[in-house]
Amino acid sequence: MFRSADLKLCCIFLLLVLGVLANLFNLVVMLVQQWRSGGVKTVALIICFISLGNILLQISTFVLSVSVWVGVLCWSDLPLFFCVVLFVWLSSSSVSFWCVAWLSVLYCVRVMSFSSVLLRAMKENISSILNVTLVATLLTSYVTFTPFFYLHFQNETLLTNMTEECDIKKPLFPAWLNVNIYVIVFISYLTLIPLMIMLPTSLRLVVYLCKHTSSMQKNHQSGSHAAESYLLVCRLTVALVWVYLVTLLTISLYYFHAIFASGLSADMLFLGLSFYCVASAILLTCSNKNLREKVRVLFSWGKKTLSRSVEDKSGVTERL
């Protein structure tokens, strides 16, 4: 009979398979596009960063879930590999969150029209600005979470499970680090600041596209396909904002509750991040024209292969 922990681990593994396949598809398609174009396209570069970050995030999430399931937190010493996985887990999630925010900024700046000279100059050079920003985001994400390499166990136990004879210990930062200040800083960097960037730019983009679509429909312009495309982008953007908002609020709630209260179970955090990786990959695939076309080609090829196999089997049956 499966326990609840076993079922949660199976759900995380299922999301791992789905998320890795979806993000790997996006990553490969964007890398091929970059190679064929012979240059650096900012949209493809951001999607590559998001996809790679999601893959590392899901793998590290599953490894953390398995580590907790086998009882790593009950060992006498905290192993170094657990600290390394924690570092990869947090840094990859940070890269993914920030890149989603930068993608929203890129779409918003490219679509909107500005009267200010400064904003027009930023719009013309937005690709170069974001290319440099992506490198800075990658470096700061790794630097921010280096203190997790110094985690160790405290002497006191957090929870005692008498049925399994396991003393679950709470990892502790070194004494030279102010835990409350550091956690507030890294939570702000990980969730709050990207949310403050992503939310207004996405909503501004949605409002602009909705107004533009409404004016096209009122003027009866010949562009129903364009209007449908704008509405599709609006729906996908709202869905991505919802997934983004729920995920970041879940992370913030978990860490702040861990500081100022007794702490919450990490299972919901693991499931939430796994769901984010799958949902964001699917939404990115639907919102990008090149990725949508590759999905159509893949499905059409699968249908042709299936129909051929059915015809071959029917031919063999008729001969018999």
Side-chain angles (χ1 to χ4, degrees), residues 88-316:
V88 174
W89 183 57
L90 290 167
S91 57
S92 59
S93 61
S94 174
V95 170
S96 178
F97 296 155
W98 274 98
C99 287
V100 170
W102 295 135
L103 185 64
S104 177
V105 171
L106 178 64
Y107 285 154
C108 182
V109 172
R110 281 187 174 180
V111 171
M112 299 286 296
S113 57
F114 303 101
S115 58
S116 172
V117 178
L118 180 62
L119 293 178
R120 285 202 302 267
M122 185 185 69
K123 180 176 181 177
E124 294 176 357
N125 301 284
I126 188 63
S127 296
S128 302
I129 294 172
L130 286 181
N131 289 340
V132 176
T133 305
L134 287 174
V135 177
T137 300
L138 189 64
L139 294 176
T140 52
S141 296
Y142 288 138
V143 171
T144 303
F145 302 105
T146 49
F148 279 85
F149 284 113
Y150 301 96
L151 282 175
H152 61 279
F153 279 144
Q154 61 181 358
N155 295 326
E156 298 178 359
T157 58
L158 178 66
L159 177 64
T160 302
N161 193 332
M162 299 302 296
T163 59
E164 299 182 3
E165 298 180 355
C166 172
D167 294 334
I168 300 178
K169 301 177 182 178
K170 182 178 181 179
L172 192 67
F173 285 105
W176 50 266
L177 185 67
N178 189 312
V179 178
N180 292 341
I181 295 178
Y182 173 68
V183 173
I184 292 174
V185 168
F186 94 70
I187 284 298
S188 300
Y189 175 80
L190 181 65
T191 61
L192 300 182
I193 300 177
L195 184 62
M196 292 171 62
I197 296 173
M198 201 282 189
L199 198 58
T201 52
S202 298
L203 295 180
R204 187 70 184 90
L205 176 64
V206 169
V207 170
Y208 178 83
L209 290 178
C210 289
K211 287 183 178 179
H212 186 64
T213 304
S214 178
S215 64
M216 290 176 61
Q217 293 174 348
K218 286 181 180 179
N219 297 330
H220 300 286
Q221 295 180 1
S222 59
S224 59
H225 181 69
E228 291 177 359
S229 300
Y230 290 150
L231 290 176
L232 176 62
V233 172
C234 292
R235 295 189 189 101
L236 293 174
T237 304
V238 171
L240 186 59
V241 168
W242 179 82
V243 173
Y244 197 77
L245 181 63
V246 171
T247 303
L248 297 193
L249 288 179
T250 303
I251 295 173
S252 302
L253 176 64
Y254 173 80
Y255 282 107
F256 283 128
H257 199 277
I259 298 173
F260 302 109
S262 59
L264 297 173
S265 173
D267 295 331
M268 296 307 298
L269 182 62
F270 293 154
L271 289 171
L273 287 172
S274 300
F275 171 76
Y276 162 80
C277 294
V278 177
S280 60
I282 294 174
L283 290 172
L284 285 176
T285 304
C286 297
S287 62
N288 186 268
K289 181 180 179 182
N290 190 27
L291 291 173
R292 289 200 307 269
E293 291 177 352
K294 294 299 180 182
V295 170
R296 292 193 188 100
V297 171
L298 188 63
F299 274 103
S300 63
W301 177 81
K303 289 180 180 179
K304 289 180 181 179
T305 305
L306 182 61
S307 62
R308 286 176 183 175
S309 63
V310 171
E311 289 176 359
D312 293 339
K313 287 181 181 179
S314 61
V316 172

